[in-house]
Amino acid sequence: MFNKVVIFGVGLIGGSFARALRHAGVVTTLVGVGRSPQAMARALELGIIDQVAASVQDAMAGADLVLIAAPVAQTAPVLASLLPYLEAGTVVTDAGSTKSDVVAAARAVMKERVGQFVPGHPIAGRETNGPDAAIVDLYHGKKTVLTPLPENAAADIDRVAAAWSACGAIIHRLTPQEHDTVFASVSHLPHLLAYALVDDIARKPHAGLLFQYAASGFRDFTRIAGSSPEMWRDISLANQSALLGELDAYLAQLTAIRAMLANGDGAAIEAVYANAQRARCRWIEAIETAEAPPAQDSSPE
Amino acid sequence: MFNKVVIFGVGLIGGSFARALRHAGVVTTLVGVGRSPQAMARALELGIIDQVAASVQDAMAGADLVLIAAPVAQTAPVLASLLPYLEAGTVVTDAGSTKSDVVAAARAVMKERVGQFVPGHPIAGRETNGPDAAIVDLYHGKKTVLTPLPENAAADIDRVAAAWSACGAIIHRLTPQEHDTVFASVSHLPHLLAYALVDDIARKPHAGLLFQYAASGFRDFTRIAGSSPEMWRDISLANQSALLGELDAYLAQLTAIRAMLANGDGAAIEAVYANAQRARCRWIEAIETAEAPPAQDSSPE
């Protein structure tokens, strides 16, 4: 049970966290902090938060838990703003899509108090944003990855895990480095590739004709290119090293496939396509099994 | 109105065409021809076709319209098998995803009778296949591109267009070369890129960990990598030249973005991402406008 939870950034991520905690009945007071007075007023109007903080100092007074749900590049300034008012009993966490840079920022800003910061990343999102996009079940059945620091107290990690569990999330743990390598591969690179394709097509002289014939496959492939450019610029830069590694591996893969295609090597092309199709099929089966509702009990009358 | 329509390959594409023609009430007899006796028996059992042809000769006798709905590499052998029985009043069309190679195959096989072949490509599909995947509304509101030949009679083009219109499709016309360039860009390249990414990840030593954290963005981006590897091998080879051109443009684009990332050039990265996001947003708005149901009439009582 949380007496006071403070959320920096009450958009899709922070707002959905607030709605889920409220729905679970585990929080007494939800306080919002944000740069946009309009967004904060809207979050209040929608009942996502109980109060808009008059100041960071007011917000932090007596807080049990603080979630930073702002673009990753904002983590250091937000931590610097709250540090002077950080009480000994408060745990701070974040929702950033990259972790090594967030941890580096937290160490640089918080120094010997970094143990009060438990880094996290809820694996959920949509293309919409702002308080109106916040929904109660965004995290339900989704993973939240925590990347705890050696300095974190077990009780503080548990407190953050308990909040996300109350939102319906399944808690996983990785090191910050593992996290960033994994997400460079399965999230950051696909975003870069989708943006690159749409930009490539949009700059062709016959772009209008091309878009006219783009169909459902193209729509799904490029859905993630509808995401916020600023957010994904920040993520790309924050995870530069791992993303470059994944991009280089992919460029090597494309260069190899280009040679197969130029040589008319149908067997080699089919081997790549078939391996991908099988792997994706196994993956889809695994998530569908994991996400299937439990078998219904036969209820006695 | 068609007296007899013959379909070579009664899977998703051919079967959905049959179901839609039947639903529209524009065909008396639907005859199926195929390599798999099981699939043909299933199509008959499902009521997709009225008859399984005893032979190609029987199938072709008195046919008004023939649809070849087989992998593009099968176009030449299928045309060669039916040519000896092709009556003067029969029009043949196809549903292949590439057109230049299909036209070349048709010219090589049919020679002076190529005027009876009107090439086509319905822009619709799903990852499922076989007669059980066939649905009545697969083509409803979707485009069918015809790439007529100079030798085609206007009445024959109209006959093919009428059949697709009866299926609910919207008829477009391109040259075979225009068609192949357009689809290399918005369909064939995205398939290659999705297959390449999944294969790349699946062959990494820590593939299991990676797939564990892949989420909805990855699922949508790679949906087309669930498609038939044989079919897409054939399409890739059939459209080799245009696809190589698009792949090279994309490799140049990725190489440029790699340099931006290596240089930490956030402004340049954001410009690419933002241009893509704006272009995709405009495109989605355009299709949603085009696909919106007409405003409902206020009906008198």
Side-chain angles (χ1 to χ4, degrees):
Chain A
M1 186 67 196
F2 300 93
N3 184 44
K4 181 175 179 182
V5 173
V6 179
I7 301 177
F8 284 74
V10 192
L12 169 70
I13 297 299
S16 296
F17 182 74
R19 282 197 183 282
L21 289 183
R22 167 102 65 208
H23 181 76
V26 298
V27 60
T28 307
T29 305
L30 281 156
V31 178
V33 188
R35 290 181 296 179
S36 156
Q38 291 86 349
M40 300 314 292
R42 182 68 182 148
L44 192 63
E45 184 185 341
L46 290 167
I48 296 173
I49 51 176
D50 300 301
Q51 300 168 23
V52 177
S55 66
V56 175
Q57 180 170 11
D58 278 1
M60 296 297 293
D64 299 309
L65 180 67
V66 175
L67 174 71
I68 302 175
V72 281
Q74 293 298 313
T75 309
V78 169
L79 285 173
S81 76
L82 65 81
L83 189 63
Y85 316 110
L86 179 62
E87 298 175 3
T90 305
V91 179
V92 182
T93 187
D94 80 314
S97 300
T98 53
K99 294 273 72 76
S100 301
D101 68 308
V102 163
V103 169
R107 287 194 187 286
V109 171
M110 299 178 77
K111 300 195 171 67
E112 73 286 354
R113 301 192 67 187
V114 76
Q116 283 179 256
F117 180 71
V118 180
H121 176 201
I123 315 304
R126 331 173 93 197
E127 278 64 52
T128 49
N129 217 324
D132 285 279
I135 54 175
V136 72
D137 60 353
L138 183 66
Y139 305 115
H140 193 86
K142 301 297 196 303
K143 297 180 182 71
T144 289
V145 180
L146 301 183
T147 64
L149 307 177
E151 294 91 337
N152 291 147
D156 289 349
I157 301 171
D158 290 347
R159 195 188 302 181
V160 174
W164 285 111
S165 294
C167 296
I170 302 149
I171 310 302
H172 285 239
R173 282 196 192 197
L174 294 172
T175 68
Q177 295 70 28
E178 284 170 341
H179 172 281
D180 287 356
T181 305
V182 166
F183 288 94
S185 182
V186 300
S187 173
H188 310 169
L189 178 63
H191 275 80
L192 185 155
L193 299 178
Y195 281 126
L197 184 72
V198 181
D199 177 65
D200 186 40
I201 291 175
R203 288 189 293 100
K204 287 182 197 275
H206 55 305
L209 182 71
L210 297 175
F211 280 120
Q212 193 184 346
Y213 291 101
S216 63
F218 184 84
R219 176 159 19 182
D220 287 349
F221 183 88
T222 62
R223 182 176 69 77
I224 49 183
S227 309
S228 157
E230 299 78 15
M231 175 178 159
W232 284 93
R233 171 204 62 198
D234 285 354
I235 291 173
S236 300
L237 292 174
N239 203 17
Q240 183 193 39
S241 161
L243 182 54
L244 278 173
E246 297 302 323
L247 178 54
D248 286 342
Y250 188 72
L251 280 165
Q253 164 84 332
L254 283 191
T255 303
I257 296 175
R258 193 209 181 280
M260 296 171 195
L261 186 59
N263 295 333
D265 188 347
I269 292 170
E270 186 180 348
V272 171
Y273 289 6
N275 187 48
Q277 192 236 18
R278 278 192 305 270
R280 188 177 187 281
C281 186
R282 279 195 303 270
W283 172 65
I284 291 285
E285 283 170 10
I287 29 179
E288 285 178 351
T289 304
E291 289 176 1
Q296 202 163 352
D297 291 336
S298 58
S299 52
E301 0 172 48
Chain B
M1 185 69 195
F2 299 94
N3 185 42
K4 182 177 180 182
V5 173
V6 179
I7 300 177
F8 283 75
V10 190
L12 169 68
I13 297 299
S16 296
F17 181 75
R19 283 198 184 280
L21 289 183
R22 168 101 65 207
H23 182 74
V26 298
V27 59
T28 306
T29 305
L30 281 156
V31 178
V33 187
R35 288 181 298 180
S36 156
Q38 291 85 348
M40 302 312 294
R42 183 65 182 149
L44 193 62
E45 185 185 340
L46 290 168
I48 296 173
I49 51 175
D50 300 301
Q51 300 168 23
V52 178
S55 66
V56 174
Q57 180 170 12
D58 277 2
M60 296 297 293
D64 298 308
L65 180 67
V66 175
L67 174 72
I68 303 175
V72 281
Q74 293 297 312
T75 310
V78 169
L79 285 173
S81 76
L82 66 79
L83 189 64
Y85 316 111
L86 179 63
E87 298 175 3
T90 305
V91 179
V92 182
T93 187
D94 80 314
S97 300
T98 53
K99 294 272 71 75
S100 301
D101 68 308
V102 162
V103 169
R107 288 194 187 286
V109 171
M110 299 178 77
K111 300 194 170 70
E112 73 286 353
R113 301 193 67 188
V114 77
Q116 283 179 257
F117 180 72
V118 180
H121 176 201
I123 314 306
R126 333 173 88 196
E127 279 63 53
T128 50
N129 217 323
D132 286 279
I135 54 174
V136 71
D137 59 353
L138 183 65
Y139 305 114
H140 194 85
K142 300 297 195 305
K143 297 180 182 73
T144 289
V145 180
L146 301 184
T147 63
L149 308 177
E151 295 90 337
N152 291 147
D156 289 350
I157 301 170
D158 290 346
R159 197 188 301 180
V160 173
W164 285 112
S165 294
C167 295
I170 301 148
I171 310 301
H172 286 239
R173 281 196 191 198
L174 295 172
T175 68
Q177 294 70 26
E178 283 171 342
H179 172 280
D180 287 357
T181 305
V182 165
F183 288 94
S185 181
V186 299
S187 173
H188 309 168
L189 178 64
H191 276 80
L192 186 155
L193 299 178
Y195 281 127
L197 183 72
V198 181
D199 176 66
D200 185 39
I201 290 175
R203 287 188 295 99
K204 288 183 196 276
H206 55 305
L209 182 70
L210 297 176
F211 280 119
Q212 193 184 343
Y213 291 100
S216 63
F218 184 83
R219 179 165 11 187
D220 287 348
F221 183 87
T222 62
R223 183 177 67 79
I224 50 182
S227 309
S228 158
E230 300 78 14
M231 176 179 159
W232 283 94
R233 172 204 62 200
D234 285 353
I235 291 173
S236 300
L237 293 174
N239 203 17
Q240 184 193 39
S241 162
L243 183 53
L244 279 173
E246 297 302 323
L247 179 54
D248 286 343
Y250 188 72
L251 280 164
Q253 163 84 331
L254 283 190
T255 303
I257 296 175
R258 193 208 180 281
M260 297 170 195
L261 185 59
N263 295 335
D265 188 347
I269 292 171
E270 186 181 347
V272 171
Y273 289 7
N275 186 47
Q277 192 236 18
R278 278 192 305 269
R280 188 176 186 280
C281 186
R282 280 195 303 268
W283 172 64
I284 290 286
E285 282 171 9
I287 27 180
E288 285 178 352
T289 305
E291 288 176 0
Q296 202 165 347
D297 292 334
S298 59
S299 51
E301 22 170 30

